Amino acid sequence: MQSANGRVPHPRRVFVFAARVGKPGLRDITAAILFATFGFSALAGCGMPGAPQPPSLNLPNRVTDLSAVRTGDQVALTWSMPKRNTDKMLLTANITARICRNQVVVAPCAAVATLQLAPDSDGTFTDVLPPPLAAGPPHLLTYFVELDNRKGRSAGLSNGASVLAGEAPPAISGLTAAMRPGGVLLSWTPAPPGSSPVAIRLERKLLTLPTKKPSSGSLAEPDEPLEQNFLVEPGAQADRALEKDIRFGETYEYRVQRVARLTVDGKTLELDSPFSSPVRIAAEDIFPPSVPTGLAAVATPAANGAGPFIDLNWLPDSGVNLAGYIVYRRDVTQAEGAETWRHISPTQPVIGPAYHDADVQPGHNYQYAVSAIGQNGRESARSAEAEETVPAQ
């Protein structure tokens, strides 16, 4: 509604005008109220600004997954850079990441480095500890990361990631690897006299390319991990460790480090030495199985038309490379000119720890011995002898 001069009358004035013309009826008053009400709405929607919105501070979201690992005099930090700011808007420009460390909770955080990192990237930094922090008794050291916007403001410090400062255990030297019947024997130069007992971490890498195995089946052997770590608790043997979890035919690389541990506020933290120089070894099955033990012989005389026999049994071998057993016998009935040892079991190795010898004569005295043979064809030494006499008829 416009006046003769083209101006839009104020809604309040319209209502007053309608009320002053004579004595308005109900219809006139209702029309004036409707115009006033909807007139406001129309005017508010015709380019008039709404309620003002607060400006975005563009603060990157704080880091929440900072982690720290100390090895020797170096501390490796890793974290995830945020993708959005605190207003849930995507970050597009590089972000300033300030790294600091703190020895005491109430003390200021000492600046370590300032980085420029892309949003939604992996943050990494390695801090080389200054000599005062790399010496003395173990104590807590906590790292933080703070992300700033272009005006130097942040949403706050990250979570704290703690390591142990202080003198790390001495690095292991003289590492060697040798095959033994039970696995790979790793040995190294002992720690200096007076050193505190520490755990030992073995790091093993599989160097042999994995062969293609059947994708299914209950007998399919699972793939071996390319990298594994083993922690050996402090013990009497501080200069060696036997690594048993190996597979013959594979080639491995080993590194070893000393690991000191300290419990702070219910949490166990590690102080690790640098890793030793690596050694490699091909895990070859070059040893025979263990010598059988517990051999016993029991003779049974002839009866009911059946000839005499001698039953043998011994303790089983639990070796994984065992193929079976070989049974030896000699007749020692005559004090002079006793029979030499001869192989009496079948060509194929005996599978179980028992043997039934029915090729015996009444009144003869026999000696028995048993050896174990491996899948590699290597035979153990013979067991202790068992002697038995067949009863005369």
Side-chain angles (χ1 to χ4, degrees):
M1 176 178 177
Q2 293 183 342
S3 63
N5 59 7
R7 295 180 179 178
V8 177
H10 193 282
R12 184 179 177 186
R13 293 175 181 175
V14 173
F15 177 78
V16 173
F17 173 79
R20 289 179 178 177
V21 177
K23 194 174 182 179
L26 180 60
R27 183 175 61 183
D28 297 325
I29 296 175
T30 302
I33 294 174
L34 291 175
F35 181 83
T37 302
F38 291 104
F40 274 120
S41 300
L43 290 174
C46 295
M48 293 183 67
Q53 299 294 324
S56 172
L57 298 178
N58 199 28
L59 297 177
N61 282 322
R62 60 187 290 271
V63 171
T64 58
D65 63 349
L66 178 65
S67 64
V69 177
R70 179 182 172 184
T71 303
D73 294 340
Q74 297 185 349
V75 179
L77 303 175
T78 57
W79 68 93
S80 299
M81 293 293 291
K83 184 178 182 179
R84 300 178 183 272
N85 63 17
T86 54
D87 298 314
K88 300 182 180 180
M89 299 174 61
L90 289 175
L91 296 166
T92 56
N94 282 353
I95 305 169
T96 300
R98 294 187 294 110
I99 302 168
C100 65
R101 56 171 124 81
N102 195 356
Q103 297 186 66
V104 184
V105 177
V106 297
C109 195
V112 174
T114 300
L115 310 175
Q116 294 294 322
L117 301 173
D120 197 25
S121 63
D122 294 330
T124 61
F125 179 75
T126 299
D127 182 30
V128 179
L129 294 178
L133 291 181
H139 59 279
L140 200 63
L141 185 64
T142 305
Y143 285 83
F144 299 91
V145 173
E146 189 171 18
L147 306 181
D148 291 345
N149 65 6
R150 293 183 178 180
K151 295 183 179 180
R153 297 179 179 178
S154 78
L157 293 174
S158 70
N159 63 296
S162 298
V163 296
L164 289 178
E167 185 177 3
I172 285 179
S173 61
L175 179 64
T176 61
M179 289 303 303
R180 292 293 183 267
V184 175
L185 178 64
L186 300 168
S187 56
W188 52 88
T189 303
S195 299
S196 300
V198 294
I200 301 295
R201 176 175 289 113
L202 313 179
E203 180 190 79
R204 188 185 79 184
K205 292 184 178 180
L206 177 64
L207 301 183
T208 311
L209 292 177
T211 57
K212 189 173 182 180
K213 299 181 176 65
S215 58
S216 62
S218 59
L219 298 180
E221 192 174 20
D223 291 334
E224 190 172 16
L226 296 180
E227 293 188 16
Q228 287 183 281
N229 286 314
F230 307 92
L231 193 65
V232 181
E233 297 296 335
Q237 298 292 342
D239 60 350
R240 67 192 65 185
L242 183 64
E243 210 274 278
K244 301 178 180 180
D245 188 20
I246 64 169
R247 293 182 184 176
F248 293 119
E250 307 284 16
T251 299
Y252 300 102
E253 180 181 271
Y254 291 92
R255 296 193 305 166
V256 184
Q257 68 177 171
R258 292 186 172 95
V259 180
R261 289 174 291 184
L262 182 67
T263 300
V264 180
D265 296 332
K267 182 179 180 181
T268 300
L269 299 176
E270 292 185 356
L271 183 53
D272 304 338
S273 76
F275 274 104
S276 67
S277 300
V279 294
R280 296 182 178 183
I281 187 169
E284 299 179 354
D285 186 7
I286 60 175
F287 298 98
S290 301
V291 177
T293 59
L295 178 62
V298 178
T300 301
N304 300 324
F309 57 87
I310 294 178
D311 280 327
L312 305 174
N313 60 78
W314 55 91
L315 296 177
D317 191 317
S318 59
V320 295
N321 65 334
L322 178 70
Y325 303 93
I326 298 175
V327 180
Y328 295 89
R329 187 192 74 184
R330 65 176 180 172
D331 190 340
V332 291
T333 304
Q334 302 296 329
E336 296 180 0
E339 183 182 37
T340 58
W341 289 102
R342 62 189 182 94
H343 179 175
I344 63 169
S345 56
T347 303
Q348 294 297 322
V350 176
I351 301 302
Y355 183 75
H356 179 77
D357 183 14
D359 186 21
V360 295
Q361 301 296 323
H364 282 235
N365 189 22
Y366 298 97
Q367 287 182 343
Y368 293 90
V370 179
S371 65
I373 188 167
Q375 300 286 353
N376 56 5
R378 297 181 181 272
E379 184 181 356
S380 73
R382 295 173 189 170
S383 67
E385 301 167 2
E387 187 171 335
E388 180 68 323
T389 300
V390 181
Q393 292 179 341

